[in-house]
Amino acid sequence: MHIYRRWFLALLLTMLPSLRAVPAPNAYIGRNSISAEVSQTTPKALAARIQSLLRPRAAWAQHQQPAIDPKEARIFYAKRRFVPAWSTSQQPSANGRAALALLAGAEDYGLQPSAYHAPALLALTDSLTWPTSVVRKQAQQARFEVLLTDGLVQFAKHLRRGQLHAFVPSPLEKVEGPFDPVAWVSRALEAPDFAAALLRCQPRHREYQQLQQALVRWRQQPKGADSIARQRRTEQIVLTLERWRWDAIPDSTYVLINLAAYAMEVVDNGRVRQTHRLVVGRSESPTPTLSSRLTSFTVAPEWHVPHSIATTEILPYLQENAKYPSEHDFLAENNYSLYDAKGRRVDPATVKWQHVTAKNFPYSIRQNPGCGNTLGNIIFRFANPYSVYLHATSETSDFELANRALGHGCLRTERPMRLAAYLLGPDSTSVALPSEAECEAAPKPRTITLRRPMPFHVRYATCAVVAGELKFYPDIYSRDEALRRQLFAPQNSLRLLVAPIE
């Protein structure tokens, strides 16, 4: 593909506006008469050719290859009365060359040139310089126009939304309005720099932009001995870019969690202000990806133990204690309290635990604030349908582990008070955050509401650019392989349709 691209770009550079047509093979027709005939008949005849190709029942729309979407191309040309957009009679225009270069270089964006008709366009571009009749020349030029427009529309759509979610609105559209790829290509055509204008449809957040640029550098490096391993890494970058297009971040300032990296970053206008190590959900109970907002946090929180944890992890201890009475009280020693369905406190010694099962557990368990609380001394709650949250932890040694997929789905963070102080911003001087010792000495829950809610995003990216270096992470939730099969499954080779329409 690298050889193909160099050949394609070299060909484009040679097609300067001063390029002359090769004389037609008909001996009785001179060069001047051909030029005059083209100049007199091309505009209306060529527009008619383009319009004919895009009719709903045109042969191309029904069965010819490469396949196109005639509806979108028809909308594009109808607005310009089917006047050619990308070519003159003998060669691509300046915008046409820029458009061809973009599609030929689609791999720099994690996409395949063949998906946007680049091989067929290459053949057609070459054929535009061959000696032939005016009718055949117009047929080739019309086909070139339609193929290039369709390729650009699909290219813009995939840059914005991803290949597999091409018809699913991007998160960017919730902020900026619906994305119309046909209108986007049309506006880019009117811009001073066509390529730059078209590429602005990509996600703009730093994680996507840095990874896309890293892909360009990665592809330029020598492959080395282990080309298979390198190809797998290339695919890892490509599928991560695909995920970012599905879940682009529309904010400029936000908190971002990358589950695969066990890391949280506080990003302010493209700059990372804080980095925190995390413990995330284990593979059996993975932390979900989501977008929300941090609106408040609670210091010295009380933990309402989830029913699943109460029945699968705490109930066995209670049953064991009841079976072999001892001086140890599991609930009291761990600062837990037991409540019935009406919220009334219950003495655990009065419960016949041997008759209680996971399916018949009419109680709730709460862990009081203070030393040893599972939530640590602060919790950050955010709206989400999964009942997960971000919190501190008393098990700080877990942050030293390489594999930190250890939790039930919620997120544990190191240095939580530092995050709280950042979220408070100027208010941190008036809202005194307690120290760890103060939380344990006077464990009384206190909720603090943020004046400026912070966008909060949880994503899954198995590669990222960190401090300018491309890093790869383990696929802790085994999500990459299924996406890899979808994006890189063998595809049938396209038939190049270069024969002129008579």
Side-chain angles (χ1 to χ4, degrees), residues 428-489:
S428 61
T429 56
S430 59
V431 179
L433 291 173
S435 65
E436 299 285 331
E438 289 171 337
C439 283
E440 294 175 4
K444 184 178 180 181
R446 180 163 62 104
T447 296
I448 299 170
T449 301
L450 301 176
R451 290 188 181 181
R452 290 168 295 278
M454 176 69 74
F456 181 77
H457 304 283
V458 182
R459 298 291 187 263
Y460 188 80
T462 57
C463 57
V465 176
V466 180
E469 181 181 353
L470 179 60
K471 292 185 176 294
F472 297 93
Y473 304 111
D475 183 14
I476 59 174
Y477 294 157
S478 302
R479 294 177 180 173
D480 278 5
E481 195 54 42
L483 182 53
R484 192 188 304 271
R485 288 194 300 270
Q486 288 179 282
L487 287 176
F488 303 106

Side-chain angles (χ1 to χ4, degrees), residues 319-379:
Q319 292 173 330
E320 190 71 14
N321 282 353
K323 188 176 180 180
Y324 303 103
S326 69
E327 60 184 15
H328 295 288
D329 184 336
F330 175 82
L331 291 178
E333 289 178 355
N334 289 279
N335 210 13
Y336 289 117
S337 299
L338 186 69
Y339 297 85
D340 64 16
K342 295 183 178 181
R344 297 172 299 197
R345 191 160 182 169
V346 176
D347 181 355
T350 64
V351 179
K352 296 181 179 181
W353 291 109
Q354 61 272 23
H355 299 306
V356 178
T357 67
K359 293 183 179 180
N360 179 28
F361 190 86
Y363 306 104
S364 62
I365 300 175
R366 304 176 198 170
Q367 189 176 41
N368 300 320
C371 184
N373 185 283
T374 298
L375 300 181
N377 288 320
I378 187 169
I379 179 174

Side-chain angles (χ1 to χ4, degrees), residues 220-247:
Q220 292 171 348
Q221 296 173 4
K223 289 187 176 181
D226 196 347
S227 59
I228 296 178
R230 184 173 180 81
Q231 178 60 26
R232 296 284 288 185
R233 289 303 197 193
T234 303
E235 292 174 358
Q236 193 171 345
I237 301 172
V238 169
L239 62 86
T240 301
L241 288 173
E242 174 78 0
R243 283 199 184 102
W244 277 126
R245 292 176 184 127
W246 301 348
D247 291 316

Side-chain angles (χ1 to χ4, degrees), residues 256-265 275-278 280 404:
L256 172 65
I257 285 175
N258 183 0
L259 299 171
Y262 309 123
M264 174 172 61
E265 293 180 332
T275 301
H276 301 252
R277 290 177 295 182
L278 297 177
V280 306
R404 299 197 292 276

Side-chain angles (χ1 to χ4, degrees), residues 277-279 393 396-401 404 412-414:
R277 290 177 295 182
L278 297 177
V279 172
T393 179
T396 56
S397 61
D398 287 347
F399 295 120
E400 303 300 326
L401 301 175
R404 299 197 292 276
R412 306 178 219 161
T413 180
E414 64 172 351

